[in-house]
């Protein structure tokens, strides 16, 4: 039986009134074309019905993989898609808007299917949400692996520095502005690195170092050992530095968001209203400032306060809120007929298959491998079949991962949970099977599975004794 509490009803009621007010605004602006309010209203009200039916499985306060993904999709996509739709003049624009909003129906269907496979899904989610943070023997056994992961950063960074013609952050530190052309500096490292070096570096800054930093942060807040109080600040600064080496805004922003999620998850009960706490607002503003500063450095603009503020707003308003719908519209307009569909030929992850011909990408926004968001990526590969079936499979996979791997809160499970929470939303701006987004999810799931198996093996299937803060 689905548990209902006042928090969820308040959440659903707030969403209902938000949808209704937005719909009223869209109707008043629609004029003689009711298509936009019809698509928005039907898809969002169906989503609200499914959300109520799914209860805990799609409650935003639970911060599960599916609920966090849908919360981010709700904030980042529909309004930008409507604005983009109004600016498009291609006949495909009606298909584009329907496809972008169809996720609100198809993704929850995947969650329904996962719940049909796993018994007591609501009880599992409630148990994980309400369980206190624990330090277990399994967490302590991770310390040698923690050290190995940190040591692996040395050869990876050395290889990256050795093979890179330019390391953007180092160049601007040496001399600002540099003597290097802006476009050359911006795209350095994209094509001039061996693929194995580039992959290892991306894995380092998106998975290995963030996992270590999160582990150190949670150990600091959960144990009395003073050593972690010195390890965490060094790791945090180092990881932020490494993630910013290419002057790409996404990795450092994602890294800061991870700590907001870690702060929320380590509480006994997650409340989204907690994001309005002063310290979290400061962290979010700092993240936007980092993004603005990186933009200034990337384009070698005059380093002034006003410029940083302007670029920070640009990062938030365009790169975060508008970029995904805009890039998706280009993909729909470019691949507007079934004869142009790619059928997976631009998905690099399939290139390992024998006899598979991979279409190489280029720097153009019309490139068949350009990141356009997972909906547009499914469209340009498989048309409506991909748009309708793909989100169902993604919703099913995310819910299965959440139910099978996250049962109780320990240092390691929460660290991996945060990695996967951020990893699951990369596809909103990227591609459905992007190499790095898929790799981060794969290694996050792999570590979680190994941790779960190790815990059961150590204890013979019995519940593990928590060490709590006595460690």
């Amino acid at each position: 039986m689905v548990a209902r509490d006042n928090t969820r009803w308040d959440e659903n009621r707030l969403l209902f009134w938000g949808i209704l007010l937005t719909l009223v605004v869209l109707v008043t602006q629609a004029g003689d074309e009711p298509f936009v309010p019809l698509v928005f209203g039907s898809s969002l009200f169906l989503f609200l019905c499914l959300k109520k039916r799914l209860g805990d499985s799609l409650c935003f306060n639970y911060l599960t993989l599916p609920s966090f993904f849908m919360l981010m999709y709700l904030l980042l996509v529909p309004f930008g898609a409507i604005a983009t739709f109004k600016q498009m003049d291609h006949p495909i624009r009606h298909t584009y808007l329907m496809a972008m909003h169809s996720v609100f129906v198809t993704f929850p269907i995947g969650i329904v299917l996962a719940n049909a496979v796993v018994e007591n899904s609501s009880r599992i989610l409630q148990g994980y949400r309400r369980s206190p943070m624990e330090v277990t023997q399994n967490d302590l056994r991770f310390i040698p692996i923690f050290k190995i992961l940190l040591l692996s950063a040395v050869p990876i960074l050395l290889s990256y520095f050795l093979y890179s013609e330019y390391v953007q952050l180092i160049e601007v530190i040496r001399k600002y502005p540099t003597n290097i052309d802006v476009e050359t500096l911006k795209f350095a490292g994209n094509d001039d690195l061996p693929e194995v070096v580039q992959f290892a570096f991306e894995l380092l800054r998106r998975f290995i170092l963030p996992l270590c930093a999160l582990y150190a942060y949670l150990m600091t807040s959960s144990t009395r050992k003073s050593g972690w109080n010195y390890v965490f600040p060094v790791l945090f600064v180092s990881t932020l530095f490494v993630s910013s080496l290419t002057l790409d805004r996404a990795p450092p922003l994602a890294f800061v968001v991870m700590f907001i999620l870690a702060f929320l998850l380590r509480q006994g009960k997650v409340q989204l209203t907690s994001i309005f706490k002063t310290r979290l607002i400061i962290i979010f503003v700092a993240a936007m400032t980092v993004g603005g500063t990186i933009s200034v450095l990337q384009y070698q603009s005059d380093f002034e306060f006003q410029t940083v503020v302007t670029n920070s707003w640009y990062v938030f308003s365009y790169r975060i809120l508008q970029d995904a719908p805009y890039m998706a519209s280009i993909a729909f307009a470019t691949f507007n007929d079934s004869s142009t569909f790619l059928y997976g030929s631009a998905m690099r992850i399939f290139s390992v298959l024998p006899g598979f011909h991979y279409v190489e990408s280029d720097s153009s926004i019309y490139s068949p491998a350009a990141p356009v968001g997972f909906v547009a990526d499914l469209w340009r590969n498989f048309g409506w079949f991909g748009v309708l079936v793909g989100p169902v499979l993604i919703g099913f996979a995310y819910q299965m991962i959440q139910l099978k791997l996250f049962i109780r809160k320990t240092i390691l499970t929460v660290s991996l949970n945060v990695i996967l929470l951020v990893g699951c939303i990369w596809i909103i701006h990227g591609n459905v099977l992007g190499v790095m987004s898929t790799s981060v999810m794969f290694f996050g799931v792999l570590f979680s599975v190994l941790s779960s198996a190790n815990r059961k093996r150590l204890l013979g299937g019995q519940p593990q004794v928590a060490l709590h803060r006595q460690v």
Side-chain angles (χ1 to χ4, degrees):
M1 182 175 179
V2 177
R4 293 188 175 96
D5 55 38
N6 292 331
T7 300
R8 185 175 309 111
W9 282 114
D10 290 343
E11 173 185 301
N12 290 334
R13 189 179 296 115
L14 179 63
L15 181 58
F16 170 80
W17 285 109
I19 295 171
L20 187 61
L21 291 174
T22 304
L23 189 58
V24 170
V25 173
L26 292 176
V27 169
T28 58
Q29 296 178 348
D32 297 330
E33 187 178 18
F35 183 75
V36 171
L38 180 63
V39 171
F40 177 85
S42 59
S43 61
L44 267 295
F45 277 120
L46 278 173
F47 170 70
L48 183 58
C49 292
L50 288 168
K51 184 178 183 300
K52 287 184 176 181
R53 177 66 182 85
L54 284 166
D56 299 328
S57 296
L58 207 47
C59 176
F60 294 150
N61 274 312
Y62 275 46
L63 275 185
T64 63
L65 268 65
S67 67
F68 184 64
F69 176 85
M70 285 309 303
L71 175 62
M72 291 297 101
Y73 194 84
L74 177 63
L75 296 175
L76 299 176
V77 174
F79 306 107
I82 291 172
T84 303
F85 169 84
K86 293 181 177 181
Q87 297 173 0
M88 293 176 68
D89 55 6
H90 196 285
I92 199 71
R93 70 192 192 118
H94 295 88
T95 300
Y96 159 78
L97 191 66
M98 287 191 294
M100 298 299 283
H101 281 76
S102 67
V103 177
F104 290 107
V105 179
T106 53
F107 188 90
I109 291 175
I111 303 175
V112 172
L113 295 177
N115 288 347
V117 174
V118 181
E119 295 182 358
N120 299 320
S121 58
S122 180
R123 184 179 300 176
I124 294 172
L125 295 174
Q126 289 184 40
Y128 182 69
R129 181 200 184 201
R130 295 171 179 173
S131 64
M133 176 70 69
E134 300 172 347
V135 183
T136 64
Q137 289 288 352
N138 200 41
D139 294 319
L140 300 181
R141 290 176 182 272
F142 182 74
I143 292 179
I145 302 175
F146 169 85
K147 295 177 181 178
I148 293 172
L149 291 176
L150 286 181
L151 289 175
S152 71
V154 177
I156 293 174
L157 287 175
L158 287 177
S159 300
Y160 179 75
F161 282 109
L162 178 64
Y163 283 99
S164 297
E165 181 180 3
Y166 301 113
V167 178
Q168 290 90 330
L169 183 58
I170 302 301
E171 294 297 332
V172 298
I173 290 176
R174 287 177 178 174
K175 182 182 179 181
Y176 188 83
T178 68
N179 297 325
I180 307 169
D181 178 70
V182 172
E183 291 299 313
T184 302
L185 185 67
K186 180 179 179 180
F187 293 104
N190 286 354
D191 302 316
D192 57 343
L193 286 175
E195 290 185 356
V196 64
V197 174
Q198 189 174 25
F199 177 81
F201 172 72
E202 291 294 338
L203 192 64
L204 176 70
R205 68 173 179 170
R206 296 189 188 212
F207 179 78
I208 297 175
L209 288 180
L211 175 60
C212 292
L214 287 166
Y215 178 84
Y217 165 69
L218 293 173
M219 288 294 285
T220 300
S221 61
S222 302
T223 71
R224 294 178 179 175
K225 285 191 174 181
S226 59
W228 292 107
N229 294 327
Y230 301 100
V231 172
F232 167 64
V234 174
L235 261 180
F236 181 87
V237 174
S238 301
T239 305
L240 191 61
F241 179 82
V242 171
S243 65
S244 305
L245 282 176
T246 61
L247 297 183
D248 183 7
R249 292 171 288 259
L253 284 176
F255 177 64
V256 176
V257 169
M258 286 180 185
F259 283 89
I260 297 178
L261 296 175
F263 173 83
L264 294 174
L265 273 178
R266 72 183 179 89
Q267 301 178 79
K269 289 186 179 181
V270 178
Q271 297 290 339
L272 285 181
T273 53
S274 300
I275 65 176
F276 296 107
K277 288 186 176 180
T278 303
R279 71 176 74 175
L280 295 186
I281 293 175
I282 292 174
I283 293 174
F284 181 77
V285 172
M288 292 300 101
T289 304
V290 168
T293 303
I294 290 175
S295 294
V296 172
L297 296 176
Q298 188 179 62
Y299 293 99
Q300 303 185 49
S301 308
D302 293 334
F303 206 94
E304 299 175 350
F305 177 76
Q306 182 62 38
T307 307
V308 173
V309 172
T310 301
N311 279 276
S312 299
W313 175 248
Y314 168 79
V315 169
F316 177 72
S317 63
Y318 182 77
R319 299 298 295 180
I320 294 179
L321 296 181
Q322 187 62 35
D323 187 59
Y326 170 71
M327 292 299 296
S329 69
I330 292 177
F332 273 85
T334 304
F335 304 91
N336 53 62
D337 186 80
S338 59
S339 62
T340 64
F341 293 159
L342 301 171
Y343 299 103
S345 61
M347 294 181 174
R348 184 182 291 271
I349 201 167
F350 289 156
S351 61
V352 298
L353 300 176
F356 186 86
H357 176 67
Y358 173 68
V359 179
E360 289 291 342
S361 61
D362 54 49
S363 59
S364 168
I365 59 174
Y366 301 99
S367 166
V372 293
F374 74 102
V375 177
D377 191 33
L378 288 167
W379 168 263
R380 68 183 174 184
N381 279 283
F382 309 109
W384 271 115
F385 176 80
V387 169
L388 296 178
V389 175
V392 174
L393 298 177
I394 296 170
F396 178 84
Y398 284 1
Q399 181 71 344
M400 289 297 292
I401 292 171
Q402 183 70 46
L403 294 175
K404 290 294 185 179
L405 299 181
F406 301 108
I407 309 299
R408 57 191 295 218
K409 292 177 184 174
T410 69
I411 300 296
L412 188 54
T413 56
V414 171
S415 299
L416 291 166
N417 195 183
V418 170
I419 295 285
L420 291 177
L421 281 171
V422 174
C424 78
I425 65 172
W426 278 110
I427 62 172
I428 295 178
H429 286 83
N431 292 332
V432 66
L433 287 177
V435 173
M436 287 316 305
S437 58
T438 304
S439 298
V440 169
M441 292 297 292
F442 171 78
F443 282 105
V445 170
L446 178 63
F447 271 62
S448 299
V449 169
L450 294 177
S451 172
S452 176
N454 185 49
R455 181 167 61 248
K456 292 178 180 178
R457 183 169 59 252
L458 286 171
L459 301 169
Q462 299 301 315
Q464 189 166 356
V465 178
L467 302 183
H468 298 287
R469 298 183 64 89
Q470 281 75 12
V471 180

